Amino acid sequence: MKNNNTRTARLLLAAFAALPGLGAQAAGHFDVDDAGTLDPGQCQYETWWGRSGAEPVTTGFHVGPACRVGPVELGLNFDRLSAQGVHSVTGGPQLKWTFAGAAADAPFSAAVSMGAVADLRRGGRWGGQLVVPLTWRPTGSLQIHANLGADWALGTGARTPRGGLAVEWALNDAVSLIAERNRAAGVWTSRVGGRFSLTPLISVDISTSRTGPQGVRGVVIGLNHEFTWK
């Protein structure tokens, strides 16, 4: 039984590194979060599906609703991860607060994002994440995002640093290109992709990535929908 548990933990740890970070997502499926939050009275849900690797293949599915409540954004995250026949279902709450530059056109914004995540099938010790997202807007069409924080692993509670840098360039009101470099769980991931607005409140994200020294390739597609709740 111990060997099976160890194998499961290793497979899921590899899957966490290969696909976008689980437990605290507020930037679509991209690893590097921006410093913005929803407007008062607004809600949204984000969902994405991704796969990474050739053989073995890792797949993941995420859904995360969130709403602005007072000065903060409160959300829930649920993820299903599969690798070599091993399946994991995780979920937990998330809170995000933009404490500087909350206006949409502010040249500089800073926030704090924290989340907890539990293995909903196997129980055990909770994991979590604490990130400080920063956003600089040098021009109206260009944003630079930086993240600094840490993850606490499911089961063991082991802490690892997290950090990344992303560049987001809006070609027009409907299309933005995004490139990022992020380190989590001791592994670097490079990701490039885009965000395409179908309407002012609905957008689609698509990206391709390479992770770790072996350059494991991945692809993710996501849907984001914002709406008014009152």
Side-chain angles (χ1 to χ4, degrees):
M1 180 66 69
K2 182 176 180 181
N3 288 338
N4 288 337
N5 290 339
T6 300
R7 175 177 175 270
T8 298
R10 287 176 177 172
L11 286 172
L12 294 180
L13 179 61
F16 288 169
L19 289 171
L22 306 182
Q25 289 295 116
H29 72 262
F30 290 90
D31 291 298
V32 179
D33 195 5
D34 61 61
T37 52
L38 292 166
D39 293 331
Q42 293 296 103
C43 292
Q44 71 173 7
Y45 64 82
E46 300 175 339
T47 183
W48 55 255
W49 173 89
R51 61 177 288 156
S52 180
E55 291 296 338
V57 174
T58 298
T59 61
F61 177 75
H62 169 89
V63 60
C67 287
R68 176 72 176 265
V69 180
V72 302
E73 183 179 301
L74 297 179
L76 290 171
N77 294 291
F78 299 97
D79 296 271
R80 185 182 189 276
L81 215 58
S82 300
Q84 291 189 31
V86 178
H87 307 290
S88 173
V89 179
T90 62
Q94 179 184 352
L95 180 148
K96 187 179 181 184
W97 173 45
T98 300
F99 60 84
D105 58 350
F108 177 80
S109 301
V112 59
S113 176
M114 60 189 74
V117 60
D119 189 326
L120 302 180
R121 295 184 63 183
R122 299 176 179 84
R125 185 170 180 174
W126 283 55
Q129 187 182 103
L130 175 65
V131 176
V132 176
L134 307 170
T135 295
W136 176 42
R137 301 174 181 83
T139 71
S141 61
L142 182 65
Q143 299 183 64
I144 298 175
H145 311 298
N147 285 184
L148 184 64
D151 296 308
W152 285 264
L154 278 168
T156 65
R159 181 175 64 87
T160 54
R162 162 181 288 271
L165 189 67
V167 177
E168 183 173 353
W169 179 33
L171 299 180
N172 50 48
D173 291 340
V175 180
S176 294
L177 302 180
I178 302 171
E180 64 178 18
R181 177 79 167 162
N182 187 73
R183 181 177 174 85
V187 178
W188 284 100
T189 295
S190 298
R191 186 183 303 276
V192 294
R195 178 167 293 138
F196 308 92
S197 296
L198 306 180
T199 75
L201 299 178
I202 300 175
S203 63
V204 173
D205 296 338
I206 301 174
S207 78
T208 182
S209 64
R210 296 189 66 175
T211 297
Q214 305 301 319
V216 177
R217 295 182 180 273
V219 61
V220 182
I221 180 169
L223 174 69
N224 314 295
H225 181 202
E226 187 175 330
F227 56 94
T228 301
W229 66 277
K230 66 176 182 179

